Amino acid sequence: MEHQLAITSNNLQVQHISQEWKKNLTKFNNEEQQILEVKYADKPFYKLTEREKIFTIGELTLNINVITGWKILDDEKLQEILDKQFELFLIENFKTLNKAEILFAFRKYGHTVENWGKSLNLVLIGNVLRQYETQRGLVSEYEERIGQNLAENLL
């Protein structure tokens, strides 16, 4: 019986935290809420299987081409090399991002890159993702502070 009461108590506490968290979402502006939404929309890149990574890179390449106008390489072999380097680039530099975040970053910050019309390349991709990652970091810090305040208030 005590165990059941403990579980019920924990469930109520979790529900209370969830309700409190939803109230605190209003403290984020629209862009910050969008960043939080895409941050939790999918698995981070480093948690994808090899097959998922290959598929994701292909999807990202096509979507980035459509969003930015950056040309996909005509040479199939060069495109294969770019795809592999893109995968490694994400793992080495942006492994905690997910596909939804990367696409959001290009829709939101892609216009700030001055090299439209060029071929898709890692430098241009990195310029956009670094801008997004800076904003994401600020939102994550704020999110963490709110979570700490919630935890302190519940204790």
Side-chain angles (χ1 to χ4, degrees):
M1 181 73 166
E2 282 182 38
H3 182 67
Q4 286 179 325
L5 287 175
I7 291 172
T8 302
S9 174
N10 285 341
N11 285 343
L12 290 174
Q13 190 173 13
V14 168
Q15 287 175 355
H16 179 68
I17 291 170
S18 179
Q19 290 168 353
E20 288 299 313
W21 182 250
K22 286 178 184 175
K23 287 180 196 172
N24 281 286
L25 276 177
T26 59
K27 294 180 180 180
F28 293 97
N29 67 36
N30 188 42
E31 182 179 337
E32 293 167 337
Q33 287 180 18
Q34 289 176 318
I35 289 172
L36 285 173
E37 186 178 314
V38 294
K39 178 180 173 183
Y40 297 110
D42 205 353
K43 291 190 285 189
F45 194 76
Y46 77 95
K47 287 189 176 182
L48 298 178
T49 65
E50 285 306 309
R51 186 181 185 113
E52 289 171 323
K53 285 177 186 172
I54 291 167
F55 183 73
T56 299
I57 290 297
E59 279 190 300
L60 288 171
T61 300
L62 292 175
N63 279 282
I64 291 169
N65 166 256
V66 169
I67 294 167
T68 64
W70 296 339
K71 296 176 178 96
I72 294 175
L73 301 173
D74 291 333
D75 185 311
E76 194 173 315
K77 186 69 174 161
L78 286 177
Q79 187 61 47
E80 285 177 28
I81 292 169
L82 176 62
D83 288 347
K84 184 61 181 170
Q85 292 303 311
F86 187 14
E87 178 185 338
L88 294 171
F89 182 72
L90 290 177
I91 291 167
E92 293 166 357
N93 299 286
F94 303 100
K95 68 182 180 182
T96 60
L97 300 183
N98 63 50
K99 182 176 76 176
E101 288 182 285
I102 294 168
L103 294 175
F104 174 79
F106 276 90
R107 288 189 307 272
K108 189 73 178 170
Y109 306 106
H111 70 280
T112 64
V113 176
E114 303 267 335
N115 291 315
W116 303 117
K118 296 217 174 195
S119 293
L120 191 104
N121 66 69
L122 301 181
V123 172
L124 296 176
I125 292 169
N127 288 341
V128 173
L129 294 182
R130 275 186 278 287
Q131 288 179 56
Y132 170 75
E133 197 172 53
T134 299
Q135 290 303 316
R136 182 188 196 253
L138 295 172
V139 171
S140 292
E141 286 175 19
Y142 188 43
E143 175 188 27
E144 209 171 292
R145 282 197 308 271
I146 289 173
Q148 287 173 347
N149 289 339
L150 279 175
E152 289 170 7
N153 290 335
L154 290 174
L155 297 178

